[in-house]
Amino acid sequence: SVHVSKGGGGFEPSRWGVVRCRTPMAMSMGKRRRLPCMLVWKIVCMALALAFVRMVHVPSLALPFVRLRPAASQGFPELRLLTLRRAGMYPSSLYKPSQGAAVCKGDGLSDDILRTLPANLAPMAAPVVPPRVPLETTQVFEVAAGGALSETPVRFRDLWRTGALVVVVRRPGCALSREQAKALSEAFEAVVPDPHAPGVPRLVAIVRGSVTNEEGISEVDAFREYFRGSVFVDEYLATFKALGDRQYTDGIFSLEAARWMLQRMCGTQQTKIHGNFVGGPDTALKFGGCYVFDRQGQIRYVHQEGIGGINYEAVRKALSEE
């Protein structure tokens, strides 16, 4: 047992099982020593956070301080930065238009939104593995209702027999992945209004696995609310490797990554798409992308996720050339 004296001191066991004596004076001195350390630690954390925001100010990082309102002319939300700039917490130089932001026509981002990109973002410095065509013998398995996998594998070459828009999904429950799939579905339907007609391109999604949430609901079934095509599981990650085998952290502080994030965040705000965190970190961090294949399996259009925005006009054009 531990004896405590009337003066407020006493004995207490330490981490290593050794009994230490604590007097009231020692206890008060310990508290006084801890207070400066806690204060210094808080100051260091605030300084690191400020340096991080100064280095890259992507709108998604300041989402609690950002308001989106529709612009009457473009039909897309117009970004207005609120609290941080008005309070003078960050210099106004961070909000100058980015000189290196080349406008990609067809990505749905207006000039007003592109001006929110910080001027000090550099192009992606890390080497990016160029995308390639997945092996035509790659086996994928179709996901049925309820999340069950088909026992019969499908060769990848069978997906593009009539051409295909293949969306490689990072995580079906992610709001950004859902918005990306929805936007590509709408681009597909603008060219192929009847996907069941003979000889038309297919709309296909590739996921890493068929998982269920804590309520037993299939994440793929929930994903189908935003994607109207067939969903297949690539257990060997062949399509992800063909897109460069990239991670979420690759070049995250680059101009290209900021453009991709800006497109996704504007899309989710406009469509009110929500997501979850079902799936491990290894699943959430593996980048995907999208392909448009012709009937011979050649790439007509490709986008590596995290590198710039998707050019929807180029997607529609590639599909219409089938």
Side-chain angles (χ1 to χ4, degrees):
S1 62
V2 178
H3 172 72
V4 181
S5 64
K6 294 182 179 179
F11 298 91
E12 63 176 15
S14 68
R15 178 187 299 180
W16 311 107
V18 180
V19 176
R20 300 178 299 181
C21 177
R22 300 295 301 273
T23 63
M25 182 177 295
M27 293 172 67
S28 61
M29 291 179 64
K31 291 180 181 178
R32 286 198 296 269
R33 284 196 299 266
R34 285 197 299 270
L35 286 176
C37 294
M38 293 175 62
L39 182 60
V40 170
W41 175 244
K42 290 181 179 180
I43 294 175
V44 170
C45 291
M46 293 176 63
L48 291 175
L50 178 60
F52 178 76
V53 175
R54 286 177 64 90
M55 180 171 59
V56 52
H57 186 79
V58 182
S60 63
L61 300 177
L63 190 58
F65 311 103
V66 171
R67 179 177 61 195
L68 292 172
R69 70 182 187 184
S73 56
Q74 293 89 0
F76 288 95
E78 185 177 4
L79 223 60
R80 296 298 184 198
L81 297 167
L82 298 178
T83 310
L84 297 182
R85 187 175 180 183
R86 291 178 182 176
M89 295 176 63
Y90 301 108
S92 58
S93 60
L94 288 175
Y95 303 94
K96 292 181 179 179
S98 178
Q99 301 299 324
V103 177
C104 176
K105 297 300 183 182
D107 60 3
L109 296 177
S110 66
D111 293 339
D112 289 338
I113 295 178
L114 290 175
R115 290 192 185 97
T116 64
L117 290 174
N120 59 344
L121 277 179
M124 187 172 293
V128 178
V129 178
R132 57 176 175 82
V133 178
L135 294 176
E136 62 179 19
T137 55
T138 299
Q139 293 184 349
V140 293
F141 298 85
E142 188 168 7
V143 185
L149 296 184
S150 171
E151 297 181 358
T152 304
V154 177
R155 303 287 182 179
F156 211 86
R157 60 171 173 257
D158 297 329
L159 300 179
W160 63 52
R161 287 191 183 275
T162 58
L165 170 56
V166 179
V167 183
V168 185
V169 182
R170 179 167 49 86
R171 188 171 62 85
C174 175
L176 304 184
S177 297
R178 289 177 173 180
E179 184 277 330
Q180 182 170 279
K182 179 179 175 62
L184 288 170
S185 295
E186 293 174 350
F188 178 85
E189 292 172 353
V191 180
V192 187
D194 184 8
H196 302 291
V200 300
R202 297 185 63 180
L203 179 60
V204 174
I206 303 293
V207 298
R208 294 187 58 177
S210 178
V211 299
T212 57
N213 57 25
E214 64 276 5
E215 299 176 354
I217 300 175
S218 170
E219 284 295 299
V220 174
D221 285 349
F223 175 75
R224 284 194 172 99
E225 180 182 348
Y226 312 97
F227 185 80
R228 301 175 182 89
S230 304
V231 182
F232 294 83
V233 168
D234 181 6
E235 296 180 340
Y236 303 101
L237 307 183
T239 49
F240 292 87
K241 294 174 182 177
L243 283 168
D245 198 21
R246 301 181 59 253
Q247 300 290 333
Y248 196 94
T249 53
D250 292 347
I252 193 172
F253 299 127
S254 65
L255 176 63
E256 291 84 354
R259 286 183 62 92
W260 167 77
M261 181 63 74
L262 187 61
Q263 187 185 50
R264 301 279 70 78
M265 296 303 297
C266 289
T268 53
Q269 287 288 336
Q270 187 179 24
T271 57
K272 307 300 181 183
I273 291 179
H274 302 284
N276 56 47
F277 295 96
V278 177
D282 60 326
T283 302
L285 296 179
K286 180 68 70 176
F287 266 142
C290 67
Y291 289 102
V292 176
F293 294 106
D294 62 15
R295 300 172 189 270
Q296 288 73 40
Q298 299 301 312
I299 299 175
R300 291 286 185 89
Y301 175 83
V302 62
H303 174 259
Q304 292 173 285
E305 191 175 16
I307 304 179
I310 299 175
N311 191 329
Y312 300 118
E313 288 186 6
V315 171
R316 290 190 289 267
K317 182 179 179 181
L319 287 169
S320 62
E321 293 174 352
E322 290 294 333

